Amino acid sequence: MSESTLRIGLVLPDVMGTYGDGGNALVLRQRARMRGIDAEIVQITLDDEVPDSLDVYTLGGAEDYAQRLATRHLTRYPGLQRAAAAGRPVLAICAAIQVLGHWYETSAGERVDGISLFDLTTSPQATRSIGELVTTPVMVGLSQPLSGFENHRGGTTLGSDATPLGTVRHGVGNGVGDGTEGVVQGSVIGTYMHGPALARNPELADLLLARALGTDSLAPLDLPQVDRLRTERLAAGRRG
């Protein structure tokens, strides 16, 4: 791997990879390579310290016990926190939102301290949210609808230092009744969308890539198959 290689951190796929969210790192690598940019995925497991020197980081979803393992590891090795403080882009999916918050409550009623990259808290809701999720982004730099598959029981309340990623058009989202989905704080973005999210939302993928590369824009990619996937999934959300 050369010094010019884009380094994509896949954080704790051994415990935070229940729903195939590792695919987000694959999408970032492929979209970089299709533009002639050398890119590699760096897997960071429970056997590794978390480096603060990568260009972009992704974290996926998990269940309660795996969340606790991830929280302990990220607390012990705070490279992700240092990277975020330095402005490196981070994408957190589903349970990773909760780990990156101030605290989350498990289904058994145990409150677990998070790592406070997000100004938010998460508590179990009465019913589980499962199904297609479609939102209108409110984050600067995004203009196209976002879609994904949500599967969570947590309800996430944002604090004053955090803003939503989008507003819900179909589905549940953050699950606290305010019509919001996801979270943005500094260089860190969180969403409850699986899919993987970046396969279904190329505009979001390219925003993360551009930030990782330190550029305002990227050459467009002509990928009809991605357009077809987006059309089909957005239609599924409307039908759902």
Side-chain angles (χ1 to χ4, degrees), residues 6-13 25 28 40-44 51 54-59 80 89 91:
L6 181 74
R7 297 162 302 168
I8 302 162
L10 178 55
V11 182
L12 302 179
L28 290 173
E40 294 294 340
I41 295 171
V42 179
Q43 292 201 36
I44 304 150
L54 305 182
D55 300 298
V56 57
Y57 297 77
T58 67
L59 302 91
L80 184 70
L91 176 66

Side-chain angles (χ1 to χ4, degrees), residues 91-94 97 133 165 181-183 189-194 197 204:
L91 176 66
I93 305 296
C94 197
I97 295 176
L133 174 63
L165 174 62
E181 199 287 314
V183 55
I189 299 170
T191 177
Y192 276 106
M193 295 183 294
H194 301 288
L204 178 58

Side-chain angles (χ1 to χ4, degrees), residues 49-87:
E49 295 187 22
V50 182
D52 60 11
S53 57
L54 305 182
D55 300 298
V56 57
Y57 297 77
T58 67
L59 302 91
E63 303 301 331
D64 285 352
Y65 180 66
Q67 280 182 266
R68 287 195 290 272
L69 291 176
T71 304
R72 290 178 199 147
H73 195 78
L74 294 174
T75 301
R76 183 180 181 187
Y77 302 110
L80 184 70
Q81 294 90 310
R82 292 194 298 268

Side-chain angles (χ1 to χ4, degrees), residues 69-146:
L69 291 176
T71 304
R72 290 178 199 147
H73 195 78
L74 294 174
T75 301
R76 183 180 181 187
Y77 302 110
L80 184 70
Q81 294 90 310
R82 292 194 298 268
R88 301 245 167 75
V90 178
L91 176 66
I93 305 296
C94 197
I97 295 176
Q98 303 170 18
V99 170
L100 269 56
H102 295 312
W103 55 260
Y104 58 91
E105 189 176 325
T106 69
S107 57
E110 176 188 1
R111 183 172 290 190
V112 180
D113 289 336
I115 65 172
S116 293
L117 279 185
F118 286 138
D119 181 17
L120 59 80
T121 59
T122 304
S123 300
Q125 302 302 291
T127 58
R128 193 169 187 85
S129 303
I130 303 177
E132 288 292 323
L133 174 63
V134 179
T135 70
T136 299
V138 296
M139 178 183 174
V140 174
L142 297 176
S143 60
Q144 301 174 6
L146 299 167

